[in-house]
């Protein structure tokens, strides 16, 4: 099922393990994926955030995250989780400003979680 939310197209794919919802900016300048796995009934996994280089620092990434969190809530999730490279301090700070907290420290990356 495809639906439009604000300036974004949401495309849902059904898999044997759950769903993915791809959120794509109508102009194609940014995208994000939300994984909704049946084995994790309370947690949505956010991945593959991408904003075209020339369109960064315009709030598009923030809008993509907000839409991803809205999708997670729509499907009854309580938490959103993502991974971020430990070497990208600016990205960790940005996710922190959006309410994510480091909940696991791996060798090369952090797992960050936000309560919805």
């Amino acid at each position: 099922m495809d639906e439009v939310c604000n300036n974004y197209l949401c495309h849902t794919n059904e898999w044997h393990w759950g769903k993915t919802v791809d959120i794509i900016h109508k102009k194609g300048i940014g995208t994000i994926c939300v994984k909704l796995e049946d084995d994790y009934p309370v947690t949505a996994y956010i991945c593959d955030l991408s904003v075209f280089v020339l369109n960064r620092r315009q709030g598009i990434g923030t809008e993509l995250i907000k839409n991803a969190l809205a999708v997670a809530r729509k499907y009854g999730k309580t938490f959103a989780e993502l991974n971020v490279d430990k070497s990208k301090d600016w990205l960790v700070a940005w996710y922190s400003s959006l309410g994510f907290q480091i909940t696991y420290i791996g060798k090369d990356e952090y797992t960050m979680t936000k309560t919805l």
Side-chain angles (χ1 to χ4, degrees), residues 78-96:
T78 309
F79 301 97
E81 183 177 278
L82 53 83
N83 292 330
V84 60
D85 190 312
K86 287 169 85 172
S87 67
K88 296 186 178 178
D89 295 334
W90 63 273
L91 193 52
V92 173
W94 180 66
Y95 284 130
S96 294

Side-chain angles (χ1 to χ4, degrees), residues 25-63:
H25 192 281
K26 282 202 236 176
K27 293 183 181 178
I29 56 178
T31 185
I32 195 167
C33 179
V34 184
K35 291 184 180 180
L36 306 157
E37 299 184 21
D38 296 339
D39 289 344
Y40 301 96
V42 298
T43 305
Y45 182 71
I46 297 173
C47 57
D48 302 330
L49 172 63
S50 177
V51 176
F52 189 65
V53 174
L54 297 176
N55 298 100
R56 292 184 182 161
R57 303 194 59 81
Q58 297 176 18
I60 295 165
T62 300
E63 287 181 15

